[in-house]
Amino acid sequence: DVKVTQSSRYLVKRTGEKVFLECVQDMDHENMFWYRQDPGLGLRLIYFSYDVKMKEKGDIPEGYSVSREKKERFSLILESASTNQTSMYLCASSLMGQGAPGANVLTFGAGSRLTVL
Amino acid sequence: QQPVQSPQAVILREGEDAVINCSSSKALYSVHWYRQKHGEAPVFLMILLKGGEQKGHDKISASFNEKKQQSSLYLTASQLSYSGTYFCGTVDNYGQNFVFGPGTRLSVLP
């Protein structure tokens, strides 16, 4: 089974702290994504990456940065956490390709619930 | 950027049918449907790749009208296990900029 593992299930941080959310996938997927999920707003794309060291902004990148030094690992960084970043964060990965079996199907991690006090 | 979904929420009795709609202001290459049960990660249901394509999975099927930039998810003879939030997702030609709609919360009651 494809596995996407998020390092922390629950985190509580203080305003102004630097926060790292780690995501690792074990299926050699090219694409990796970070979403945040808030009630009534669904899943909003923060950043995605289609290759090592490559990153693209999604719809809500402000206040976040990402790092992809290895193909299997995609990290989300909150340089200075704020209370409005309290949310559920979901990492996902997918195989690149058009028409290939399983291509572009997202597999999600279990999520990291971040509370910023 | 986000696709629009309707309705926001629907409550059904077991055995009833439901339709969830998804539309986008952008030209669509493909539409994906995912279901998320409470406290769990979203799970893939199906992809629709071609204009006018219809696909089915058990008693859940979907259509995709590329020209109208719309997709609909059909749930027939709903079961309790269908409860959850359904998201449509759209992706660019490279399969990279993957954005979801706000979700439709479906509750199936006995």
Side-chain angles (χ1 to χ4, degrees), chain A residues 11-30:
Chain A
L11 300 97
V12 179
K13 297 291 182 181
R14 295 280 180 189
T15 301
E17 281 192 86
K18 191 168 186 175
V19 182
F20 291 89
L21 299 179
E22 304 285 343
C23 175
V24 177
Q25 49 94 5
D26 66 359
M27 283 301 291
D28 205 34
H29 283 177
E30 292 88 358

Side-chain angles (χ1 to χ4, degrees), chain A residues 69-112:
Chain A
E69 296 296 319
K70 293 185 178 181
K71 189 175 185 179
E72 67 271 18
R73 187 181 297 270
F74 192 36
S75 303
L76 181 69
I77 303 155
L78 289 69
E79 293 288 341
S80 178
S82 63
T83 55
N84 62 12
Q85 292 179 308
T86 292
S87 186
M88 171 67 84
Y89 290 88
L90 288 164
C91 174
S93 70
S94 71
L95 189 65
M96 187 180 289
Q98 296 179 15
N104 301 325
V105 174
L106 294 186
T107 299
F108 285 87
S112 297

Side-chain angles (χ1 to χ4, degrees), chain B residues 33-50:
Chain B
W33 287 96
Y34 288 74
R35 176 172 63 204
Q36 184 179 31
K37 293 183 181 269
H38 183 69
E40 299 179 8
V43 173
F44 170 74
L45 290 176
M46 64 187 77
I47 295 178
L48 298 106
L49 291 173
K50 299 178 182 177

Side-chain angles (χ1 to χ4, degrees), chain B residues 72-104:
Chain B
S72 294
L73 187 72
Y74 307 94
L75 301 100
T76 57
S78 58
Q79 305 167 17
L80 295 176
S81 62
Y82 287 2
S83 292
T85 301
Y86 289 78
F87 295 97
C88 69
T90 61
V91 64
D92 63 20
N93 285 359
Y94 304 100
Q96 293 163 358
N97 193 353
F98 201 124
V99 290
F100 286 93
T104 295

